[in-house]
Amino acid sequence: MSFGPSYQAPAIRDLLAGSGRSFSFEFMPPKTEVGEQQLWRAIRRLEPLRPTFVSVTYGAGGSTRDRTIRVTGRIAAETTLTPAGHLTAVNHSVTELRRLIGSYAAVGVRNMVALRGDPPGDPNGEWHAHPEGFRHADELVRLMKSTGDFCVGVAAFPEGHPRSPGPDSDLAYFVQKCRAGADFAITQMFFYLEDYLRLRDRVAAAGCDVPIIPGIMPVTSMTTLEKIVLLSGAKVPPDLVERLNDAAGDKTAVREVGVDFAAHLCERLLAEGAPGLHFCTLNGSRATLDIYQRLGLSSRGGRGVASRSGSGAPMMA
């Protein structure tokens, strides 16, 4: 199913400005043919929920850039979803970044997420700027904004960026990205509600009104938990670790503990006025579907979000 070159995907900033909240999903570019089949099964199972948008990540150092652009473009062409493509500055010259932005535009993608990116091989390794590239994400935001009519998202860190010297510096860099033209932000995953609320309130106090969407990744296995700690360094609540350890050896029980914790965190975030939720799916659908059901969001699939069937302005459920 193709909507043709005349269709222009809605800007995420416009969807966020509408009534209601944003509920979105994150996918990863597949590394194998089997992985691609799994990804598209997840996309088709989650598509009926009519998320506000979906995003596709970009491998460290650009290791998956061609697959990311291809998958994001295919989502734009063959589904009813509004895709956002990630792009990182690490290991790229400005000339390369400009070309990659053009590649996104060529496949019909107008929503992007600008990231500085982790060093390839070791996400916690020393970060080196490309000699002809950028040092910070705000520079990439400016490039995207100057290149075309792109809606740009950035990252936010409830526990602070792992390379930031302190909370004041972290806040300053975030506000800098917003002043460069960022339209919205998605947080690194976290486990403590207070960390998100503290970030949101400090950003607002700094005079920045860019919506900050909480990033949610349910712990569906002990391997997932280990990956979360390795990649993000997120603080894991001791009571959650205890519950997971008690369930160790029973995959179904571990998954239930993780989904239950994530659903409870989502409920509290929405009660505190979060502008929505962004689910990291790990290219699966079951955990996200379960959380949707527990939050009473399943009915969203029957209402319009960003319909491509009409010519009117997109509506968000």
Side-chain angles (χ1 to χ4, degrees), residues 13 16 145 150-154 178 181-185 210-211:
R13 62 173 169 265
L16 291 171
K145 285 293 189 176
F150 292 104
C151 174
V152 181
V154 294
C178 296
D183 297 289
F184 65 98
V210 168

Side-chain angles (χ1 to χ4, degrees), residues 153-185:
V154 294
F157 300 87
E159 297 182 38
H161 192 285
R163 292 182 174 81
S164 176
D168 291 340
S169 172
D170 199 58
L171 175 65
Y173 276 119
F174 180 78
V175 172
Q176 197 169 305
K177 290 188 288 189
C178 296
R179 289 176 178 165
D183 297 289
F184 65 98

Side-chain angles (χ1 to χ4, degrees), residues 96-299:
E96 290 173 328
L97 290 169
R98 198 182 301 276
R99 180 177 61 80
L100 291 166
I101 293 169
S103 297
Y104 272 121
V107 295
V109 175
R110 67 180 296 210
N111 297 290
M112 303 183 71
V113 180
L115 306 163
R116 189 174 81 155
D118 295 323
D122 179 7
N124 298 310
E126 187 174 356
W127 199 92
H128 296 284
H130 188 286
E132 298 175 0
F134 293 141
R135 296 189 61 84
H136 300 291
D138 66 295
E139 297 171 290
L140 182 54
V141 173
R142 288 191 180 90
L143 178 63
M144 290 176 175
K145 285 293 189 176
S146 67
T147 302
D149 183 23
F150 292 104
C151 174
V152 181
V154 294
F157 300 87
E159 297 182 38
H161 192 285
R163 292 182 174 81
S164 176
D168 291 340
S169 172
D170 199 58
L171 175 65
Y173 276 119
F174 180 78
V175 172
Q176 197 169 305
K177 290 188 288 189
C178 296
R179 289 176 178 165
D183 297 289
F184 65 98
I186 301 171
T187 76
Q188 178 77 276
M189 70 151 302
F190 59 94
F191 291 97
Y192 288 96
L193 171 71
E194 295 76 14
D195 288 331
Y196 170 80
L197 297 180
R198 187 180 304 112
L199 168 67
R200 181 194 65 182
D201 293 347
R202 294 190 75 222
V203 168
C208 180
D209 61 358
V210 168
I212 303 174
I213 306 170
I216 305 295
M217 181 190 288
V219 177
T220 54
S221 69
M222 298 305 290
T223 301
T224 301
L225 179 62
E226 293 168 2
K227 185 181 297 185
I228 289 170
V229 174
L230 173 66
L231 295 179
S232 71
K235 299 176 297 185
V236 185
D239 61 324
L240 175 59
V241 174
E242 182 178 354
R243 291 173 61 194
L244 290 168
N245 285 331
D246 288 343
D250 184 337
K251 293 182 179 180
T252 300
V254 168
R255 185 181 165 286
E256 173 61 25
V257 169
V259 167
D260 180 71
F261 183 92
H264 182 58
L265 176 60
C266 290
E267 288 176 342
R268 297 172 68 199
L269 284 163
L270 295 176
E272 289 286 350
L277 302 167
H278 185 72
F279 295 95
C280 180
T281 68
L282 297 178
N283 291 1
S285 58
R286 187 175 172 188
T288 301
L289 287 167
D290 283 353
I291 294 173
Y292 249 61
Q293 186 172 19
R294 296 185 191 206
L295 296 177
L297 298 173
S298 299
S299 61

